Amino acid sequence: MDNILYFIIFYILFVGWIVAVYSYGHYIAKLFTLKCPIPSNIIWISGLFGLIFLSSLITIINIFLPISLLIASIILIIGLILGSIQFIKIKPNYQIIVLYGLVTFIIYYAVIFGWSNYYDTGLYHLPAIKWIINNITPFGLANLHFRFGFNSIWFPLSALIDQGSILLNRPIFLINGILLFFYTTLIGDILKPFIKEIRQNIFSISTSKISTFVRSLNCKDWFFLLTILPVTYVTPIFLSSPSPDFPIFLLTLTVIGNAIELVEEETEVDNFQTWISIIIASFAFAIKLSAILLLLMSALFLFFSQIKIRSTRELVEMPILPKTIFPFLRNIPRYCWFFFLIIFIPMTIRGIILSGNPIFPIAIGSQSYLPWATSAETTRVAAEDVTAWARLPGVHYKDSLGNNSWIWDWIDQFIVHQMPLIVTVSGALILVGIVLYFSVKPEMELQESKKIIISCYPLVLILAGLTFWFMSAPDTRFALGFLYALPIVILLFPYIILKRPFSSYLVKILIVILIGQFLISATLMGPYYVGLFNNNGEIPVFPEVSYTINTTNSGERIIIPENTDQTWNLPLPNSIYFDENLSITRDRITRQYIMFTTNE
């Protein structure tokens, strides 16, 4: 009976938060983009804006108050009221509601029964979320456990949405499932005309209708359709955790897809689609610093496209200031500045409070003069841990620092674990060769040379992202978006450059690939869901962890897990490290933790 009750409670929360997030985002979209027509993918845009707004709101509130169940409930109820008002004003399409209702149930079922023991969730994700729920943002929390200084605004958002997980001691994290739902609406918007055509009679599907629909798709549409397989493949790894790697994966795919649209449609400066990429990239950077390249490349692309670079010679001879930068800044719409402010100001404040560094563990951001700031040694160790483990995971991961001997071991592991990706890239390259052979005629000219730089942007973005990833922290999960986008963009690249309709050869190839990936996705997810159905309806609980209580020199008690680096749902304050010199300041009345400092 308890499992049925939990199933219902979490499903109501899942659907409720989807509605609330959409409602907040929809009103923000209407308020700040009145002069720009919103594209057809309004559900995705509203969901994205809602997630950005709520993450920033909670980050600010947590500076002064814990994100208690009361606060979460108020925000949820207001969102549902806004959604109800909007539902009354519009004429709802009940068929679409039923369709998306089915999608939410499929995603939710995987969330609640597909839980996997994700390593980083027990290591620091869950404790970081618990701090947000139970305490104001403490100064110097990174001195307790340096990973608490990893300044991700995904955790405040999870603390708001995933309250039930901690209260009921069940690892049912809804946050990544909610983002996945909004991403699926991108696919739904592309398929909507075809679904509308056949919904009257499913038996009316014909080859001509499929062919007509396929020929109506552009490169951006094909890109998102061809991401179905990689998203299906990656989703079970992250879906049931609050891992920020999953939103980075989906947001990277979205930025790349939008880059293809910008190149393909040559959008104007006042077009909403021109600027949405940099908003998404800013959000991704605030979720995880590894998205810095995504943000920089998005900004550079907009800059170069706005100043009308026509050749590499003009690029070299381009004046710097003020003839280029200032006009570009003036062209940035007000709603972009609004999102920059609500993303980066809370992120900066929270980072300074947690560790004295808004971009911890990057040393250049450290404000070492602050009394609660992490030491230079702690910052260095944190940065080295991320890099070393990404290069050579295992007991001897530190051996990868200061040398290149790790590269061959890394390549061996990559080939073993990423063979499907390697085969896909190779296949895409072969298909591109075939397409070019049949499509490019001797008399055909490429685009004017002045547009080649811009047209190459989607591929350059991916290659730059992969280069930065390999040079910094080459853990596969940090670059999933770039890795899986590479073969798709390679396949579509000739048509992005040629600026012409798809040839009949490519259309046939793409249809085969699309059908094939649907079949492969069903093959992958079929056993996965069968396994979920065969679990007897048991909803998992957090792993139990034995622990010891260590006391600092100042008399404060710290919970330390025994024989493991997983703390899971242990009481606060907990850490896998113990510093006897750690000094803790608490409020005399509320007993809230105010500051963590160390004599190191």
Side-chain angles (χ1 to χ4, degrees), residues 97-227:
I97 292 175
V98 170
L99 178 61
Y100 283 136
L102 178 61
V103 171
T104 60
F105 185 82
I106 292 173
I107 294 173
Y108 170 73
Y109 200 91
V111 168
I112 197 166
F113 291 125
W115 179 76
S116 59
N117 193 330
Y118 192 73
Y119 179 80
D120 281 353
T121 301
L123 177 64
Y124 75 98
H125 293 169
L126 179 58
I129 292 168
K130 288 186 63 177
W131 275 107
I132 298 167
I133 293 174
N134 293 291
N135 209 88
I136 62 172
T137 307
F139 292 89
L141 185 61
N143 289 310
L144 175 64
H145 180 169
F146 70 78
R147 291 179 180 86
F148 294 156
F150 293 168
N151 184 21
S152 173
I153 64 172
W154 201 242
F155 294 153
L157 194 57
S158 180
L160 171 69
I161 292 173
D162 293 320
Q163 296 260 339
S165 177
I166 286 85
L167 291 174
L168 301 176
N169 196 40
R170 306 279 172 166
I172 312 301
F173 296 98
L174 305 176
I175 182 64
N176 282 341
I178 290 173
L179 180 63
L180 178 61
F181 167 79
F182 287 116
Y183 184 84
T184 61
T185 64
L186 280 174
I187 311 296
D189 287 329
I190 296 170
L191 296 174
K192 190 181 295 182
F194 182 67
I195 296 173
K196 186 178 180 180
E197 181 72 22
I198 67 170
R199 69 183 180 184
Q200 301 297 334
N201 183 5
I202 194 171
F203 298 105
S204 66
I205 301 176
S206 64
T207 305
S208 61
K209 285 186 177 181
I210 295 176
S211 179
T212 301
F213 168 70
V214 168
R215 288 184 178 278
S216 70
L217 302 176
N218 55 28
C219 288
K220 183 264 294 182
D221 295 335
W222 273 113
F223 175 82
F224 282 115
L225 288 176
L226 293 175
T227 64

Side-chain angles (χ1 to χ4, degrees), residues 8 36 41 95 116 212 219 276 291 313 354 375 430 441 464 490:
I8 295 172
C36 297
N41 52 350
Q95 291 177 324
S116 59
T212 301
C219 288
I276 187 63
R313 181 179 178 181
L354 289 175
S375 65
I430 294 171
K441 305 296 187 290
I490 289 176

